[in-house]
Amino acid sequence: MTGRIAEMGPSAVTGRIVVTRRIPEAGMALLWAEPGVEVEVLEEAQDRGPHRDRLLEAVAAADVLLCLLTEVVDRELLSAGRGLRGVSQMAVGVDNVDVPAATELGIPVGHTPGLLTDTTADLAWALLMATARHIPQAHQYQVEGRYRIWGPELFTGADLSPGGSGRRKVLGIVGFGRIGQAVARRSVGFDMEVVAHDPRNRERVEEAPGVRWAGLDELLESSDFVSLHTPLTPETHHLIGERELRRMKPSAILVNTARGPVVDETALVRALEEGWIAGAGLDVYEEEPHMAAGLAHLPNVVLLPHIGSASGDTRGRMARMAAMNALAFLRGEAGPHTVNPQVYATLAYGRRQSDRRHG
Ligand code: DGY
């Protein structure tokens, strides 16, 4: 679908923004409000992305690409965008974008940090509770009419609070950025001990009230619950593999709302089948939307379709931020949130801006 170009004022921003898949109205409205901006939405449906060939073709005529984390924004795609002056992604994580290639080509990459912190931290807790207390399984049992009589051992799970044992439970947080910190703050109501590990943010961990720094092995060995909040980078790919899973307590629960490839999913299936750990709550997968063989049939998992930031308000704010980044790029300005701000000082960036002015 191509939007209209309405009447333009003298200093109005002009150009073409290609949106890979329709984003929430709050963001679309911002784009449509710019009379000189032509907006092309490649896919209106919510359940599929644009075909790669279509994307390559569209990006060749785009000034700015507004994309989602489902698109592979690699060197090939970036190079196809000869006139591209920015990529704006409606997500905080940009592991689907080849950021070094974008920087080399003079293309700023925008994202949406800060807006989804609380919503994602809430979901991590929801997964933690749902997995520890078997909520989806119990719900299923109830709606199927299998509840005949109260039972002393029906769906017995694990306490988050000192609860029955009186022992404070240990919550291990791997990755202590905004979301990891927000997860830690929520633990106060459960009277938990919190340990955290994040080599890039050690000081932040040490300064956080009620949080103790731990090396990864120590964290895994001592935690009742381990929640992952690290971005996906070459260093964090398979950060949790067989070795790490074997270090966890057999009663422990693993929660992943970060990125799937942080966990070796095949090793996780074995860990769950063979009782190295007690359960897992996952919102993300190694090869989304697919899951490792066997995962979906395990009784001790709660599986969600990557909905960490999915509240209406948060998705609306993310869409607005993505639109604001896109419009800034179109104006030749620095985006409010650029992953690779060093790009603005490069010759390649300057060349793209002047090609646009003179082309
Ligand atoms: C992100 O923003 O990176 C989430 O995974 C989707 O909201």
Side-chain angles (χ1 to χ4, degrees), residues 69 91-93 116 259 306 309 315 318:
L69 55 81
V92 64
L116 48 104
R259 283 292 185 264
H306 202 150
S309 64
R315 287 283 166 86
M318 289 166 70

Side-chain angles (χ1 to χ4, degrees), residues 13 17 31 34 37 64 85-86 88 108 321-338 344 349 353:
V13 54
I17 298 180
L31 301 178
E34 292 293 338
V37 176
V64 171
R85 291 188 298 138
S88 170
M321 178 57 69
M324 282 160 64
N325 275 326
L327 290 170
F329 295 150
L330 204 55
R331 285 191 201 98
E333 294 167 3
H337 292 288
T338 308
Y344 295 122
Y349 175 78
Q353 301 304 316

Side-chain angles (χ1 to χ4, degrees), residues 154-240:
L154 191 60
F155 290 111
T156 47
D159 284 317
L160 275 67
S161 57
S165 72
R167 179 178 70 80
R168 292 177 78 208
K169 302 301 181 308
V170 180
L171 170 65
I173 299 178
V174 179
F176 209 64
R178 294 183 198 85
I179 300 173
Q181 292 172 65
V183 167
R185 285 196 295 276
R186 283 156 175 73
S187 68
V188 174
F190 289 93
D191 191 14
M192 291 173 124
E193 278 179 36
V194 182
V195 291
H197 176 79
D198 187 339
R200 294 194 311 176
N201 288 311
R202 181 163 182 152
E203 218 166 89
R204 201 184 284 159
V205 172
E206 287 171 346
E207 284 167 4
V211 180
R212 188 169 60 79
W213 165 269
L216 184 59
D217 285 352
E218 187 201 336
L219 180 148
L220 295 169
E221 284 159 13
S222 61
S223 295
D224 298 291
F225 306 98
V226 174
S227 194
L228 306 178
H229 301 287
T230 175
L232 176 61
T233 64
E235 293 75 44
T236 63
H237 183 266
H238 282 193
L239 183 69
I240 306 297

Side-chain angles (χ1 to χ4, degrees), residues 69 89-95 112 116 120 257-259 283-284 306-310 315 318:
L69 55 81
Q89 172 147 295
M90 194 193 121
V92 64
V94 289
D95 42 279
T112 62
L116 48 104
T120 308
T257 53
R259 283 292 185 264
D283 186 41
V284 289
H306 202 150
I307 56 167
S309 64
R315 287 283 166 86
M318 289 166 70

